[in-house]
């Protein structure tokens, strides 16, 4: 999904799908027949945008990790966009191919797609206390440190595992987990040249992956002492190259990050605007956390000053309020991803495929979507590839591949009973022990969890629902396979880049399962699927690539690893004095392009 030069990236098919959503309410209720088309995202700052002021981002919870080597939340990436520049990046209106950022021009890719050469931009410095100019070696170290268990980049092997010398580097980490290994496939002929050699023709995917935070430079001489600890403490002493920096002291200790409470970002005094496409209008960005009453938070934003939502997504009440009373203060970004309820396929009872199919058949997915906001929140899925991702149409489009257990959005109790009987439950309902359901404790995610609990109970399950803040739900449970959850409720996926591999590889490939920071929440590990993914990664022809991943999508869907209930339309709200700019790639407000009206 990226555009650079003819060889810089893999061409991708951009599937155009008209997203027709039903009204958020009837006319008598003030809905007025509004659809997503009425809330198209603004992706550019106004011509008269002013500099100055403080923008407040209202959050319910914390980021997962401040360290760009580990961070993977949607809100974390939004913070990274403002503070961490990468080799290639995503301006707000770009949703096909990343553009050069710290790279001084498009990547040069060899004819066999096995060698990538980047030239590094001059004049870019780290924020204090490092202060020096970036160099090619910093990108090599950033990629290598991601292999350390103390950093644990969740997508590292999935996207970067083709780099030459990867297996040897993994072996080196097993012997010494306190020092970043040498990846022999990454060389730096000089301070301005980064060369990445691959064992397979995966250059296009690797270039796109370097738009993720792993593509941000890390100064080895500063970070290695922090990386020697496990977990790494580099996130407590973070430096970056973006227009903003998390406030710190003279020694580099982050004073502007109070976990679970706030993140304070101020201007980076070493930032040179002539090297960056970000305008960076506001002087300061404050992330205020702990707003678990989402309806109150949404109203506070809509009626307040200088505020935008972060990880808070409007509940149905707030969504309708914004759509009908403050229509100029809301946008809906279509095609941003999918949402599903993950079933742990490796332990009972969901290690039985018929139990999983029974759950999907019987679940009222329409009720779950209603908890998110109804049709304005998105469409109900029939498979895991979503609209606007190549391969979507090849996998069946909106109709899907035709599996009976996903045929009825409102649930089919009779079909569910048939699958339960196939699993050995003669009553047509689940008759086993208690299941552990992990969920978030605020906003629409809490509502989704409680609707899901009732749906499981309706099917015969005894449910132990445990609700936590989003960071705890993930870092202590859902991202840790050994925590032995049965259900991880509030999961979903935004493609790291607009390519079917980025939509399916990390969340459903058994080879991507890791002990911490894991994102394959169903813990799906089917050798045939893993093998098909490994083959499809290296298909370069766009049509053949879309078809290959569409077949994989159908195979994943056939495994019933999760309850898919929403192809997302990402909502954002802001105060009336904010010129909010949406980032199409991330689906959220782009803090570095947003400005205040006064």
């Amino acid at each position: 999904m990226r555009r650079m030069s003819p060889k810089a990236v893999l061409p991708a098919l951009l599937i155009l799908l008209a997203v027709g959503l039903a009204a958020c309410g009837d006319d008598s209720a003030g809905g007025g027949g509004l659809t997503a088309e009425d809330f198209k995202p603004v992706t550019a700052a106004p011509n008269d945008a002013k500099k100055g002021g403080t923008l407040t981002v209202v959050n319910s919870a914390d980021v997962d990790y401040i360290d760009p080597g580990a961070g993977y939340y949607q809100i974390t990436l939004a913070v990274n966009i403002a503070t961490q520049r990468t080799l290639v990046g995503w301006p707000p209106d770009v949703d096909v191919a990343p553009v050069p950022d710290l790279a001084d021009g498009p990547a040069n890719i060899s004819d066999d797609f096995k060698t990538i050469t980047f030239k590094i931009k001059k004049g870019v410095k780290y924020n204090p206390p490092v202060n020096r100019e970036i160099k090619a070696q910093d990108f090599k170290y950033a990629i290598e440190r991601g292999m350390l268990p103390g950093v644990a980049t969740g997508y590292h092997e999935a996207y970067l595992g083709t780099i030459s010398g990867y297996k040897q580097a993994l072996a080196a980490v097993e012997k010494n987990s306190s020092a970043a290994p040498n990846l022999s496939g990454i060389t730096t002929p000089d301070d301005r040249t980064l060369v990445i050699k691959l064992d397979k023709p995966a250059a296009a995917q690797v270039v796109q992956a370097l738009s993720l935070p792993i593509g941000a430079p890390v100064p080895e001489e500063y970070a290695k002492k922090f990386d020697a600890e496990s977990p790494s403490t580099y996130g407590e002493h973070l430096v970056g190259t973006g227009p903003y920096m998390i406030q710190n002291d003279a020694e580099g200790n982050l004073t502007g990050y109070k976990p679970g409470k706030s993140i304070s970002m101020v201007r980076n005094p070493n930032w040179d605007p002539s090297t960056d496409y970000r305008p960076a209008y506001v002087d300061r960005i404050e992330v205020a956390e702990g707003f678990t009453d989402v309806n109150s938070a949404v109203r506070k934003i809509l009626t307040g000053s200088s505020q935008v939502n972060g990880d808070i997504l409007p509940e149905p009440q707030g969504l309708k309020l914004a759509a009908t009373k403050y229509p100029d203060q809301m946008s809906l970004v279509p095609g941003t991803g999918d949402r599903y309820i993950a079933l742990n396929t490796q332990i009972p009872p969901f290690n039985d495929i018929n139990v999983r199919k029974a759950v999907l058949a019987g679940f009222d997915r329409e009720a779950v979507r209603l908890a998110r906001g109804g049709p304005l929140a998105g469409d109900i899925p029939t498979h895991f590839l979503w609209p606007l991702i190549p391969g979507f149409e090849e996998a069946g489009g909106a109709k899907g591949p035709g599996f009976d257990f996903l045929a009825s959005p409102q649930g089919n109790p009779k079909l569910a009973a048939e699958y339960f009987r196939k699993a050995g439950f003669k009553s047509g309902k689940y008759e086993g022990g208690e299941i552990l359901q992990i969920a978030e404790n605020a906003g629409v995610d809490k509502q989704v969890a409680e609707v899901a609990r009732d749906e499981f109970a309706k099917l015969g399950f005894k449910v132990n629902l445990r609700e936590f803040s989003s960071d705890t739900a993930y870092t202590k449970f859902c991202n840790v396979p050994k925590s032995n959850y049965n259900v991880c409720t509030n999961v979903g996926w935004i493609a790291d880049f607009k390519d079917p591999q980025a939509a399916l590889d990390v969340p459903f490939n058994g080879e991507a399962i890791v002990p911490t920071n894991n994102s394959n929440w169903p813990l799906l590990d089917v050798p045939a699927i893993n093998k098909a993914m490994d083959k499809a990664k290296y298909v370069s022809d766009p049509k053949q690539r879309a078809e290959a991943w569409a077949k994989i999508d159908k195979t994943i869907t056939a495994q019933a690893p999760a309850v898919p209930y929403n192809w997302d339309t990402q909502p954002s709200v802001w105060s009336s004095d904010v010129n909010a700019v949406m980032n199409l790639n991330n689906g959220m407000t782009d803090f570095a392009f947003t400005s205040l009206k006064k």
Side-chain angles (χ1 to χ4, degrees):
M1 123 178 178
R2 317 302 162 180
R3 179 190 311 146
M4 285 188 185
S5 68
K7 289 186 179 178
V9 295
L10 176 69
L13 301 175
L14 180 61
I15 299 172
L16 300 177
L17 177 74
V19 182
L21 298 176
C24 66
D26 60 24
D27 289 337
S28 64
L34 297 171
T35 71
E37 286 294 305
D38 297 295
F39 304 99
K40 290 182 178 179
V42 174
T43 58
N47 292 331
D48 62 349
K50 299 174 176 60
K51 292 215 169 195
T54 297
L55 178 70
T56 298
V57 181
V58 179
N59 259 28
S60 65
D62 198 2
V63 297
D64 53 349
Y65 300 96
I66 286 290
D67 186 339
Y72 212 21
Y73 276 15
Q74 186 182 20
I75 182 62
T76 307
L77 298 185
V79 171
N80 286 152
I81 287 171
T83 59
Q84 300 289 328
R85 297 174 63 183
T86 47
L87 281 164
V88 290
W90 298 93
D93 60 345
V94 173
D95 69 344
V96 176
V99 303
D101 187 355
L102 293 179
D104 193 14
N108 185 308
I109 292 180
S110 63
D111 291 338
D112 64 0
F113 276 75
K114 290 185 177 181
T115 303
I116 308 164
T117 303
F118 285 104
K119 288 295 183 181
I120 307 303
K121 191 172 289 183
K122 294 181 180 179
V124 179
K125 293 184 177 181
Y126 291 105
N127 66 249
V130 174
N131 296 311
R132 72 160 171 83
E133 194 169 340
I134 63 169
K135 55 186 180 180
Q137 292 84 347
D138 300 338
F139 296 96
K140 175 178 168 66
Y141 181 71
I143 296 170
E144 291 170 342
R145 69 184 293 272
M147 302 179 74
L148 291 173
V151 177
T153 304
Y155 50 85
H156 202 287
E157 188 165 2
Y159 296 149
L160 303 175
T162 57
I163 296 176
S164 297
Y166 201 90
K167 290 183 179 178
Q168 292 88 339
L170 283 177
V173 169
E174 289 181 5
K175 291 181 179 179
N176 181 6
S177 62
S178 63
N182 174 49
L183 258 174
S184 60
I186 305 178
T187 57
T188 55
D190 57 60
D191 287 352
R192 290 284 164 268
T193 307
L194 179 71
V195 180
I196 304 175
K197 291 188 178 296
L198 311 174
D199 290 331
K200 295 184 179 181
Q205 298 92 292
V206 171
V207 169
Q208 298 212 47
L210 293 175
S211 69
L212 294 168
I214 195 70
V218 176
E220 180 177 7
E221 77 281 4
Y222 175 76
K224 63 182 179 181
K225 61 180 177 293
F226 306 122
D227 289 342
E229 302 178 54
S230 189
S232 170
T233 58
Y234 177 61
E236 299 170 22
H237 308 85
L238 183 68
V239 293
T241 55
Y244 301 98
M245 55 180 275
I246 299 176
Q247 199 163 20
N248 63 12
D249 61 22
E251 285 72 44
N253 301 303
L254 296 191
T255 58
Y257 178 43
K258 297 177 174 58
K261 295 182 179 179
S262 63
I263 305 172
S264 298
M265 290 174 273
V266 297
R267 287 197 179 276
N268 172 5
N270 293 336
W271 178 66
D272 182 353
S274 69
T275 68
D276 201 344
Y277 56 71
R278 299 161 184 80
Y281 292 111
V282 298
D283 291 331
R284 190 179 183 100
I285 303 166
E286 292 285 349
V287 180
E289 301 173 350
F291 289 86
T292 55
D293 186 339
V294 172
N295 283 325
S296 295
V298 169
R299 184 176 292 276
K300 167 183 168 62
I301 294 167
L302 293 170
T303 61
S305 175
S306 309
Q307 299 170 45
V308 298
N309 67 309
D311 67 349
I312 286 175
L313 297 179
E315 297 176 358
Q317 178 182 338
L319 195 63
K320 184 174 181 179
L321 173 67
T324 57
K325 302 297 184 183
Y326 303 92
D328 295 331
Q329 295 172 230
M330 183 175 82
S331 77
L332 298 172
V333 181
T336 52
D338 63 350
R339 293 186 185 273
Y340 51 90
I341 299 166
L343 309 176
N344 187 336
T345 63
Q346 294 196 2
I347 61 175
F350 300 122
N351 59 344
D352 187 322
I353 191 171
N354 285 312
V355 174
R356 301 199 301 268
K357 288 180 178 180
V359 169
L360 270 63
F363 237 74
D364 186 345
R365 294 179 294 138
E366 208 161 84
V368 182
R369 182 184 65 161
L370 186 61
R372 288 208 76 83
L376 272 181
D379 292 332
I380 295 177
T382 52
H383 51 108
F384 289 98
L385 280 178
W386 57 86
L388 302 181
I389 288 286
F392 173 76
E393 292 293 351
E394 290 82 353
K399 291 183 178 180
F403 294 114
D404 60 354
F405 51 84
L406 287 175
S408 175
Q410 293 180 328
N412 183 335
K414 183 178 179 181
L415 182 62
E418 290 179 12
Y419 277 117
F420 273 128
R421 292 188 185 101
K422 288 180 181 180
F425 300 112
K426 295 181 180 180
S427 67
K429 289 193 175 184
Y430 182 69
E431 301 163 3
E434 184 179 79
I435 62 170
L436 173 61
Q437 178 188 353
I438 302 298
E440 298 181 36
N441 64 358
V444 291
D445 291 313
K446 178 179 175 65
Q447 293 192 28
V448 164
E450 291 169 357
V451 171
R453 174 198 58 198
D454 294 344
E455 289 298 309
F456 280 115
K458 183 179 70 177
L459 295 169
F461 292 91
K462 300 179 182 70
V463 183
N464 175 13
L465 173 60
R466 298 189 64 190
E467 298 176 316
F468 304 92
S469 64
S470 62
D471 50 316
T472 299
Y474 282 89
T475 60
K476 301 297 184 184
F477 294 95
C478 293
N479 288 1
V480 184
K482 71 177 182 181
S483 66
N484 286 332
Y485 59 85
N486 298 110
V487 177
C488 191
T489 312
N490 307 116
V491 298
W493 196 251
I494 296 173
D496 297 319
F497 37 91
K498 196 164 284 185
D499 180 89
Q501 178 190 350
L504 299 176
D505 194 357
V506 173
F508 296 110
N509 191 336
E511 301 298 324
I513 297 173
V514 291
T516 59
N517 213 7
N518 176 62
S519 295
N520 180 340
W521 297 294
L523 299 177
L524 187 69
D525 190 3
V526 178
I529 292 176
N530 302 344
K531 185 177 180 179
M533 286 188 179
D534 189 56
K535 183 177 179 180
K537 289 176 184 179
Y538 312 115
V539 176
S540 298
D541 178 79
K543 185 175 185 298
Q544 294 176 7
R545 185 174 180 84
E547 290 172 349
W549 283 98
K551 289 180 181 177
I552 292 168
D553 177 54
K554 292 177 184 178
T555 309
I556 292 170
T557 306
Q559 288 290 318
V563 182
Y565 68 88
N566 204 43
W567 280 327
D568 239 17
T569 301
Q570 177 85 16
S572 292
V573 293
W574 54 86
S575 302
S576 60
D577 61 344
V578 174
N579 290 314
V581 175
M582 299 298 113
N583 188 294
L584 293 180
N585 184 61
N586 188 41
M588 297 185 67
T589 303
D590 194 318
F591 309 144
F593 279 79
T594 294
S595 61
L596 305 183
K597 294 179 180 178
K598 58 180 179 179

